[in-house]
């Protein structure tokens, strides 16, 4: 018996309605959850024990409902990495290794991340330049893969070998802390299958789309969230002028029934008076962090977040928060 669930941000897009429609078509029991404002502060130390501070804390939303998992079933069947394996990387097929490094840098480096990294590099008295070091590091890893004349495949391999273990896989431990997990897209047979498929067939998730249309047409008719209101049969119409009526009506509804619209988890955890109290405590009131990261670096990043551009500096603040938990537990 399969049990399904989904969650949505408080005051955000109701992603659960799509999950519920899918569950109904598949005849799965379904639970909907709301990710609440400020939930992070009650579970952040538990999360740091689970992921060992190898990843920041605002992305694993699953932690917000961890207490509900035990009653759902015996095994988690998770679809992580399927979106990467069954798609192209959006790169030209022929790219030099240097060009691939530049392409990967744009994917790997988060907004504000390079600025924080360079500030830390300088404050720790390291020589040369962090940007140069990172590019050299990525270049050496790309060289080891060596899939000639197929940049999309090489970049996918890079992401699978080096990105997935350091980003996607880390917070699978949240699920594993409650129940065993199954990861079909991590299976060696799946990787071997992907390596046998021409890039032209993988591009645009064609195989997944055609599989659903062929074997579960009722699911294919459910709106695709990223292409709403279109589905797998007509998603190619998700562009001007065909999507204009939906966009106009949707914008009118938001204006008529205005409320703060939450799109990202850090907005729920970092914005607002109570969140600010908790965040400042972790950034500025942890003695062990003073020996690890210069207070001037933290002050500058946080002030940029508060006064200049909270979207651009949100990741940098999130990383400082992660360093704070790391310092408390391991320094």
């Amino acid at each position: 018996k399969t049990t399904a669930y989904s969650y949505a941000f408080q005051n955000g897009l109701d992603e659960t309605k799509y999950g519920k429609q899918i569950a109904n078509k598949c005849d799965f029991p379904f639970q909907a959850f709301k990710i609440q404002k400020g939930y992070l502060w009650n579970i952040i130390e538990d999360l740091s024990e689970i992921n060992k501070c190898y990843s920041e804390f605002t992305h694993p939303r699953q932690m917000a409902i961890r207490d509900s998992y035990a009653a759902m079933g015996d095994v988690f069947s998770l679809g992580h990495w399927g979106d990467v394996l069954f798609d192209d990387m959006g790169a030209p097929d022929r790219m030099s290794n240097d060009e691939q490094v530049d392409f990967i840098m744009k994917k790997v480096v988060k907004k504000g991340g390079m600025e924080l990294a360079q500030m830390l590099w300088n404050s720790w008295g390291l020589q040369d330049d962090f940007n140069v070091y990172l590019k050299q590091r990525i270049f050496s890893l790309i060289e080891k893969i060596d899939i000639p004349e197929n940049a999309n495949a090489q970049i996918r391999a890079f992401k699978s070998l080096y990105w997935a273990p350091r980003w996607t896989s880390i917070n699978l431990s949240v699920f594993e802390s409650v129940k065993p997990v199954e990861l079909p897209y991590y299976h060696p047979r799946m990787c071997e299958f992907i390596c046998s498929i021409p890039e032209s067939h993988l591009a645009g998730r064609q195989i997944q789309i055609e599989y659903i249309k062929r074997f579960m047409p009722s699911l294919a008719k459910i709106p695709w969230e990223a292409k709403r209101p279109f589905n797998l049969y007509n998603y190619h119409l998700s562009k001007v002028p065909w999507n204009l009526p939906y966009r106009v009506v949707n914008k009118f509804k938001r204006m008529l029934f205005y409320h703060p619209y939450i799109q990202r988890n850090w907005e729920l955890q970092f914005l607002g008076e109570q969140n600010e109290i908790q965040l400042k405590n972790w950034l500025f009131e942890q003695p062990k962090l003073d020996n690890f990261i210069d207070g001037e670096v933290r002050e500058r990043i946080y002030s940029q977040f508060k006064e200049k551009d909270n979207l651009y500096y949100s990741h940098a603040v999130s990383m400082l928060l992660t360093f704070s938990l790391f310092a408390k537990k391991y320094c």
Side-chain angles (χ1 to χ4, degrees):
K1 180 181 178 181
T2 299
T3 298
Y5 77 94
S6 184
Y7 35 60
F9 292 138
Q10 180 184 355
N11 293 329
L13 175 69
D14 187 10
E15 300 175 53
T16 62
K17 76 175 184 179
Y18 300 100
K20 185 176 182 179
Q21 290 179 63
I22 293 169
N24 287 341
K25 295 294 183 183
C26 296
D27 198 25
F28 296 157
F30 178 79
Q31 291 178 268
F33 296 93
K34 286 286 186 185
I35 306 300
Q36 299 295 323
K37 184 175 183 177
Y39 83 85
L40 180 63
W41 311 115
N42 294 324
I43 55 86
I44 191 168
E45 295 202 57
D46 290 338
L47 180 54
S48 70
E49 289 286 345
I50 292 171
N51 70 13
K52 308 301 181 186
C53 300
Y54 277 97
S55 174
E56 56 86 60
F57 304 127
T58 63
H59 280 79
R61 295 174 291 175
Q62 63 267 29
M63 190 68 186
I65 57 170
R66 179 170 171 261
D67 292 343
S68 302
Y69 290 150
M72 289 185 180
D74 299 318
V75 178
F76 281 107
S77 183
L78 304 173
H80 292 67
W81 217 242
D83 58 331
V84 175
L85 294 181
F86 284 89
D87 202 354
D88 66 322
M89 299 294 101
D93 285 334
R94 293 178 179 271
M95 297 177 74
S96 68
N97 284 354
D98 284 319
E99 290 172 325
Q100 290 182 51
V101 169
D102 291 335
F103 185 90
I104 290 169
M105 286 281 287
K106 292 177 181 178
K107 300 289 186 181
V108 170
V109 177
K110 306 297 182 183
K111 293 178 180 178
M114 185 60 71
E115 185 173 336
L116 172 62
Q118 192 62 59
M119 291 171 67
L120 293 175
W121 187 272
N122 294 337
S123 70
W124 291 334
L126 299 174
Q127 294 182 347
D128 301 320
D129 180 88
F130 174 76
N131 186 59
V132 173
Y133 163 79
L134 183 58
K135 283 188 173 184
Q136 290 173 342
R137 177 69 172 147
I138 293 174
F139 186 91
S140 67
L141 296 175
I142 281 286
E143 273 194 316
K144 294 177 182 178
I145 299 172
D146 192 25
I147 304 177
E149 299 184 356
N150 199 328
N152 276 290
Q154 184 151 296
I155 293 169
R156 183 188 299 108
F158 174 89
K159 291 183 70 173
S160 298
L161 289 169
Y162 305 115
W163 185 332
R166 290 167 169 80
W167 185 258
T168 303
S169 301
I170 295 299
N171 288 308
L172 293 174
S173 56
V174 175
F175 298 106
E176 289 180 305
S177 69
V178 181
K179 296 286 183 179
V181 301
E182 291 181 347
L183 295 160
Y185 290 113
Y186 276 47
H187 197 283
R189 288 178 60 192
M190 186 66 75
C191 296
E192 291 168 5
F193 173 70
I194 292 297
C195 291
S196 71
I197 302 298
E199 285 296 320
S200 59
H201 294 170
L202 290 173
R205 306 180 74 167
Q206 296 174 81
I207 293 176
Q208 289 179 318
I209 291 170
E210 290 305 316
Y211 182 90
I212 295 172
K213 287 162 65 176
R214 180 173 298 186
F215 293 100
M216 198 71 179
S218 59
L219 286 185
K221 294 176 183 177
I222 295 174
W224 184 354
E225 181 188 336
K227 306 289 185 179
R228 57 188 189 278
F230 303 102
N231 57 43
L232 297 189
Y233 290 101
N234 59 11
Y235 67 92
H236 58 282
L237 297 176
S238 183
K239 57 186 177 182
V240 176
W242 293 278
N243 63 354
L244 268 178
Y246 171 80
R247 291 172 60 183
V248 169
V249 171
N250 193 46
K251 185 172 183 177
F252 180 75
K253 285 181 179 179
R254 293 203 309 269
M255 292 172 62
L256 189 62
F257 305 104
Y258 176 77
H259 58 72
Y261 193 65
I262 301 298
Q263 300 182 64
R264 307 165 188 88
N265 202 25
W266 65 264
E267 294 176 281
L268 280 180
Q269 312 313 320
F270 292 171
L271 302 182
E273 183 178 349
Q274 292 304 312
N275 283 334
E276 183 175 352
I277 291 171
Q278 293 282 356
L279 182 57
K280 290 177 73 173
N281 172 63
W282 282 106
L283 296 187
F284 303 113
E285 304 298 331
Q286 302 299 317
K288 289 187 176 181
L289 187 59
D290 294 334
N291 300 323
F292 185 34
I293 296 180
D294 192 283
E296 185 177 338
V297 171
R298 287 174 276 151
E299 288 282 0
R300 180 175 172 184
I301 291 294
Y302 185 73
S303 65
Q304 297 278 55
F305 170 77
K306 288 291 292 182
E307 300 167 12
K308 186 176 180 181
D309 189 336
N310 55 28
L311 172 59
Y312 187 86
Y313 288 97
S314 60
H315 176 72
V317 168
S318 189
M319 290 310 304
L320 289 176
L321 176 62
T322 307
F323 286 136
S324 180
L325 271 291
F326 177 86
K328 179 178 180 180
K329 292 185 174 297
Y330 301 109
C331 293

